[in-house]
Amino acid sequence: VLLTKHTGAELAFYQDLGMYKILFEVSDKRVMKTYYNDVLGEIAKYDKESSMSLIKTLEMYLLENCNLVRTAERLYIHRNTLVYRIHKIQEITQYDFTLPEVRERCRQAILVGNFLKL
């Protein structure tokens, strides 16, 4: 449960943390950073060199179960812009997002990046 609306502070109950519970148990944050870089490093590098926000695009795309219409609506961008970004992500990574294990690996790396505030 987050309490940002009234207090400006964030509060989450441990039982609601999901995968983040595991991340809190990892003592060596370098392991998590290495994982993030192995999975999403090239996209993060591209984001720093451009203004595309491909990591955020990928995060929303995965949250919306790879649905182009809903993802474009949530990002407030045209569907063709989203298609271009997804193609760019695939070009950079050579990932096939039709494969569940690829989608899950990217979801996990995004969680790690959010956890580490990358």
Side-chain angles (χ1 to χ4, degrees), residues 29-76:
K29 303 301 183 217
R30 292 176 301 179
V31 172
M32 287 191 280
K33 182 142 183 162
T34 298
Y35 180 75
Y36 177 85
N37 285 329
D38 287 348
V39 178
L40 299 175
E42 291 300 315
I43 302 171
K45 180 181 173 187
Y46 188 88
D47 275 354
K48 285 184 180 181
E49 296 169 356
S50 70
S51 60
M52 288 255 254
S53 301
L54 294 180
I55 297 282
K56 187 65 178 169
T57 300
L58 179 59
E59 180 178 16
M60 192 62 63
Y61 182 63
L62 295 172
L63 282 172
E64 291 298 336
N65 294 313
C66 303
N67 182 297
L68 291 171
V69 173
R70 287 196 318 256
T71 303
E73 288 172 357
R74 297 257 326 256
L75 291 172
Y76 302 105

Side-chain angles (χ1 to χ4, degrees), residues 51-107:
S51 60
M52 288 255 254
S53 301
L54 294 180
I55 297 282
K56 187 65 178 169
T57 300
L58 179 59
E59 180 178 16
M60 192 62 63
Y61 182 63
L62 295 172
L63 282 172
E64 291 298 336
N65 294 313
C66 303
N67 182 297
L68 291 171
V69 173
R70 287 196 318 256
T71 303
E73 288 172 357
R74 297 257 326 256
L75 291 172
Y76 302 105
I77 60 175
H78 192 276
R79 184 183 176 282
N80 291 344
T81 301
L82 176 61
V83 169
Y84 174 80
R85 289 182 187 179
I86 297 302
H87 283 296
K88 191 63 164 172
I89 292 167
Q90 290 172 321
E91 176 185 307
I92 292 168
T93 63
Q94 299 299 304
Y95 291 161
D96 179 357
F97 291 108
T98 64
L99 301 173
E101 61 271 17
V102 170
R103 293 190 307 269
E104 189 56 36
R105 187 175 39 231
C106 290
R107 280 187 189 101

